[in-house]
Structures are given as structure tokens and as C-alpha cells.
Amino acid sequence: MIRLSFWGAAGEVTGSMHLLEVGGKRVLLDCGLFQGRREEARTKNANFPLDLGDVDAVILSHAHIDHSGRLPLLVKHGYQGTIFCTPATRDLCSIMLPDAGFIQEKDFEFLKKRGHDGLAEPLYTSSDATRVPDLMVTVPYERPLEIVPGVKLTFTDAGHILGSASVVLEVDAAGRKRRVVFSGDIGRTGLPIIRDPKPPAGEADVLIIESTYANRTHESVAEAQALLAKSVVTVARRGGKIFIPSFAVGRAQELIYELHGLARDAKIPELPIYVDSPLAVNATDVFRLHPEVFDRGERLIRETDELFRFRLVKYVRSVDESKALNGLRGPAIIIAASGMVESGRILHHLRNGLGDHRNLVLFVGFQASYTLGHRLQSGAREVRIFGELVPVRAEVATIGGYSAHADRGELGRWAAGLGPRPRRAFTVHGEAEQLEAMAGLLRELDVRDVDVPRFGQSFEV
Ligand SMILES: [Zn+2]
Ligand SMILES: [Zn+2]
């Protein structure tokens, strides 16, 4: 018997976790954290739906927290088996998971100080999270490996973030053979640094596919680059600063890389670029360790080995150095976390800089509802930062083309790139509307049997 069940990113985006059962063996695909409203997410994360002692192996598609963020819980509850992932995913996890634990500890302290009663302990701590990489066995792209009897794993490049993979499982349950493909998160064509997504060609009996932007079309990466250059030129000319709220892992490195390329081609003026985030600085070090997954077709990668070190860029680790940037005169670019302006050093930069009409706040990523980033993007005239009302005189702009997720056209091309149409498909990792859009897209490709699984639903395949 081969059975598939869905325990996260089913009917929603976050908490990616699916279970494959083959002849008594249980293989977990991803073990991600639910994100969103604090209480609701907390309850979902704390109530692990499976008996952990029964899991034989875990496969991790990539390091993003909505795919990896419950691994420390798994380990905390005694999981001793292997977690299979690519080498770059392991290295990213070794900095991102302790950071996720640290945030939970800080959150807990903050709420306690505010006098909240009956608080649940943090799900896990930074030190719980540091134990996860001990269980990781790394498997490069395109190297098949039998992970439990009857299940052979192959990763292909998903082109989404450094080390991200699509997963192919060749399953043999007492002569009953199935090829199961899990897309992971699918990236975009032409994203900086990493290669384009490579759909694992061949007949899939079962396809599990993400749907994040199945009903959207993004601007192209080339358009995004042109907009970035134009913004820098305009703001430098008027003597302002550019504040870029950015995720520390992935987006920050893409920005450094893009600005490096633009500066090298003299498409932007010489101005200092500060990367003000300890996590981003650490993540940049991980990128430097993994040139094997870079896109050799890109000119900058062919021309230099030092993608992230050039004359204009400065990495800021200490809090004092970060605060010193407040006194900076003249044009500059400051890249700081968090990406949605909910926490982190970007807050003190914006408190200091939002009042100056020469400055620009440049969004390069998705801003969820109810975040400070979203309020700024929607044109708020004043915002509250650290309890203080700050007038917004700076320009606010958005570049959409750096999304790490394939849009509708790219998802369709990826699915078609599998070659023969899959016999059966499941759409995951999206809100209801996107899941239905992805299901529709697959039916257009003549996939006859498409399901949108609910949380906890299970299918014999
Ligand atoms: Zn992702
Ligand atoms: Zn995801």
C-alpha cells in the first residue's frame, strides 16, 4: 500500500508537511512552521498531528521556515532519524533555525514582561534548533539515493532559493511501483545568482505541486533590475537615502548581487551600500560557500569570484555600528531586516529617515496585511514606530519582480516541462483561490485527476 496524507500547507500557504507511507515505512516531506496570527499559529505548531516515533525519514525541500521550522520540535520530541536535504539547505538551516528559536524566546520574554498570564513556553529555543543539523545527511542535485528500503530519492534544482529542491521519489511497495514528484517551492526564470528551476522530467504517477502565485503574473526580473537602477539614480541625485526592508536570507543577497552588477556597469552612481543585519551577513557567508549551485550562465558569476565583496558594500554586525548609520550624511543604500518592517533594525532606520522627503523606502518583497510594511505601502501619512508617531514624507515605492515564486505562466511551463502529463495531482501551498487556479491550470494541461487536499486528508496512491 502506498498512502499520501497532508498535514500542512494544505488549504493554506505555510506549515508545509506531507507524509508518504510505503509498506510500513513513513517518510515525511518537509516539516514547516505555520505562520500568521500569533495564537492560531502557535496552537497549530504545538499540536503535532503525527506520532513522531513512527517517522522513519524526513526529506526537506529547502531552508525557508515555512518548510523547515518545525524540525527543531521534531528533534526536541526525540526524533533520531535522518533528515535528507541538499548541502546548501543544511548550511542555511544551521543559521536560520537557531534564529527562529531565538525569535521565539524573545517573543516569550516580551509578552511575559508585558504581564501576559498563563503563557505557553516557546515552542523551542535556539539551542534546541542547533541540534537539527546533526541529523542532516546532504544529497546533491541529481544523485539518486535509497533512503529507506523501497524508496529512492533524487533532488532537482527548484530555482527558488539557494539549495532549494524539487523531490522525486521512486517507490516500490512489494512490486507496486510509483514515481512521486513533490515540486517544493518553484522559483522564477532569470532570478539572480541561482539557476532556473528544472522540472524533473519523466512520467509522474503522483504530483504534489505548490500554487502560491497560480493566479498572478509578475513583472520580469529584467524589469525589476531596470527599476532598481532608476530608483538609485533618482534618489542619489536628490541627496537622499534608500531604505530597503529585506528578508535576510535570499533577497538580501540578490540585492547585493544586483547592485554589484549595476555598479560594475556604471549604471548607478558610487554610493555606499550598508547591509545592516547580522543574519543577512551570516547568510551571505553561506552563499559564498556554495558556488556549485550558482548559475554559470550569468555574466557577473563568470567574471568574478567575489560576488558579495566589492568596494561599495559594507557589512554591519554590531548594534553600535548600526546606530551610527543614523548620523550618515549624503546618499546611501541601507538594506535591513525585517522584510515586512515588523521588527529588526529597519525600524530605527525608518524612524530616523521617514520624515525626509529626499529619502526612499523601497519594498522588494511581499507585504502581508496588518504589517507596518503594508501600511507604508498603502500610503499611510504617519506610522507608529517604538510608540512614537512618525510622519511619512519619504517616497515609498515597490518592485514586484524579485519574487522567489513562479507566477502562473512559469508554474504552467514547469508542469508542462515534466513531459508526459502526471497521472494524478495534488495542489498545495496556496490560499483557496490559488489552489483552485493551480488545479485549473493542471486540468488545462490534461491532468485528469486533480485534488485540492484538506488538512489531514489521506489518499491511497
Ligand atoms: Zn520557500
Ligand atoms: Zn514556502
Side-chain angles (χ1 to χ4, degrees):
M1 189 201 66
I2 304 172
R3 180 170 283 282
L4 197 56
S5 48
F6 298 86
W7 298 102
E12 63 188 311
V13 175
T14 63
S16 179
M17 188 165 84
H18 317 301
L19 181 72
L20 181 73
E21 292 168 273
V22 181
K25 295 286 177 198
R26 307 174 100 207
V27 177
L28 208 56
L29 292 167
D30 284 347
C31 190
L33 201 70
F34 289 102
Q35 295 165 315
R37 278 186 231 110
R38 190 196 296 260
E39 286 306 313
E40 195 186 322
R42 154 98 217 168
T43 311
K44 280 153 92 179
N45 286 320
N47 297 319
F48 212 86
L50 304 168
D51 186 347
L52 299 173
D54 288 353
V55 175
D56 294 284
V58 180
I59 298 168
L60 175 62
S61 66
H62 65 291
H64 275 154
I65 293 299
D66 63 313
H67 297 256
S68 68
R70 272 189 291 172
L71 287 171
L73 260 187
L74 200 70
V75 174
K76 190 178 163 183
H77 287 115
Y79 177 71
Q80 291 288 340
T82 299
I83 301 164
F84 295 93
C85 62
T86 68
T89 295
R90 179 187 190 274
D91 290 345
L92 284 177
C93 282
S94 67
I95 58 169
M96 290 169 76
L97 292 175
D99 187 71
F102 182 72
I103 289 168
Q104 290 175 44
E105 290 173 61
K106 286 282 153 206
D107 259 11
F108 175 72
E109 279 168 30
F110 174 79
L111 292 173
K112 207 161 78 177
K113 240 193 260 170
R114 288 212 160 176
H116 285 250
D117 288 328
L119 275 182
E121 290 287 309
L123 284 173
Y124 53 85
T125 61
S126 172
S127 80
D128 294 325
T130 53
R131 290 158 58 204
V132 172
D134 275 345
L135 301 184
M136 288 176 155
V137 166
T138 64
V139 185
Y141 297 126
E142 320 276 353
R143 305 296 300 175
L145 180 75
E146 186 168 59
I147 56 164
V148 295
V151 179
K152 196 159 76 178
L153 158 74
T154 309
F155 286 131
T156 67
D157 199 333
H160 167 65
I161 61 161
L162 194 83
S164 65
S166 298
V167 177
V168 182
L169 296 171
E170 285 160 284
V171 177
D172 186 343
R176 190 182 165 91
K177 293 188 179 171
R178 290 285 179 272
R179 190 165 177 271
V180 178
V181 173
F182 170 42
S183 70
D185 286 359
I186 302 170
R188 305 198 59 201
T189 306
L191 275 181
I193 310 170
I194 56 174
R195 293 188 287 255
D196 291 347
K198 186 176 176 196
E203 193 148 288
D205 296 296
V206 180
L207 169 68
I208 309 164
I209 188 167
E210 71 119 321
S211 317
T212 321
Y213 287 126
N215 58 352
R216 280 258 307 262
T217 301
H218 300 314
E219 71 200 7
S220 73
V221 178
E223 284 169 296
Q225 196 186 61
L227 272 172
L228 178 65
K230 198 172 143 211
S231 305
V232 176
V233 170
T234 312
V235 179
R237 199 174 288 151
R238 67 183 186 227
K241 296 191 185 69
I242 303 178
F243 303 106
I244 311 185
S246 169
F247 293 114
V249 180
R251 193 59 40 81
Q253 290 71 35
E254 285 171 9
L255 286 166
I256 300 163
Y257 176 92
E258 290 286 73
L259 291 166
H260 186 181
L262 290 170
R264 213 175 148 91
D265 293 343
K267 287 184 178 157
I268 55 171
E270 303 247 320
L271 77 178
I273 301 161
Y274 296 94
V275 180
D276 185 17
S277 153
L279 183 61
V281 179
N282 289 340
T284 307
D285 288 339
V286 173
F287 270 70
R288 298 181 68 242
L289 287 173
H290 289 285
E292 81 278 8
V293 295
F294 293 173
D295 185 347
R296 297 274 140 210
E298 292 176 26
R299 185 162 61 93
L300 191 61
I301 288 171
R302 286 199 310 268
E303 287 179 359
T304 171
D305 290 332
E306 289 292 358
L307 297 178
F308 307 105
R309 282 190 192 166
F310 54 105
R311 211 158 42 80
L312 303 176
V313 72
K314 295 179 178 59
Y315 291 93
V316 179
R317 271 186 197 273
S318 80
V319 175
D320 288 344
E321 277 178 276
S322 172
K323 285 187 175 152
L325 294 179
N326 285 340
L328 202 68
R329 303 246 162 262
I333 300 173
I334 297 175
I335 300 170
S338 72
M340 298 191 198
V341 204
E342 283 295 90
S343 57
R345 294 179 177 179
I346 191 69
L347 286 172
H348 86 80
H349 293 304
L350 292 187
R351 178 173 63 176
N352 185 57
L354 273 178
D356 187 335
H357 68 274
R358 292 172 303 174
N359 294 344
L360 168 69
V361 184
L362 188 59
F363 289 104
V364 289
F366 174 72
Q367 304 299 309
S369 314
Y370 311 110
T371 59
L372 183 53
H374 190 263
R375 283 199 289 286
L376 283 166
Q377 213 177 27
S378 317
R381 302 297 299 275
E382 54 178 15
V383 291
R384 196 171 282 280
I385 300 179
F386 302 131
E388 201 179 288
L389 270 182
V390 183
V392 182
R393 295 194 198 95
E395 183 190 352
V396 177
T398 299
I399 298 178
Y402 287 122
S403 170
H405 282 278
D407 67 8
R408 183 176 175 81
E410 289 162 328
L411 284 169
R413 281 193 289 283
W414 190 92
L418 296 171
R421 66 167 181 266
R423 198 173 52 79
R424 181 164 197 189
F426 299 93
T427 64
V428 297
H429 201 286
E431 303 295 339
E433 203 180 316
Q434 288 80 26
L435 293 165
E436 281 306 331
M438 191 65 224
L441 193 54
L442 289 168
R443 288 185 193 111
E444 277 172 33
L445 292 170
D446 230 7
V447 183
R448 295 207 183 104
D449 197 352
V450 186
D451 274 292
V452 181
R454 292 186 310 274
F455 179 88
Q457 213 176 355
S458 140
F459 301 81
E460 199 172 322
V461 295

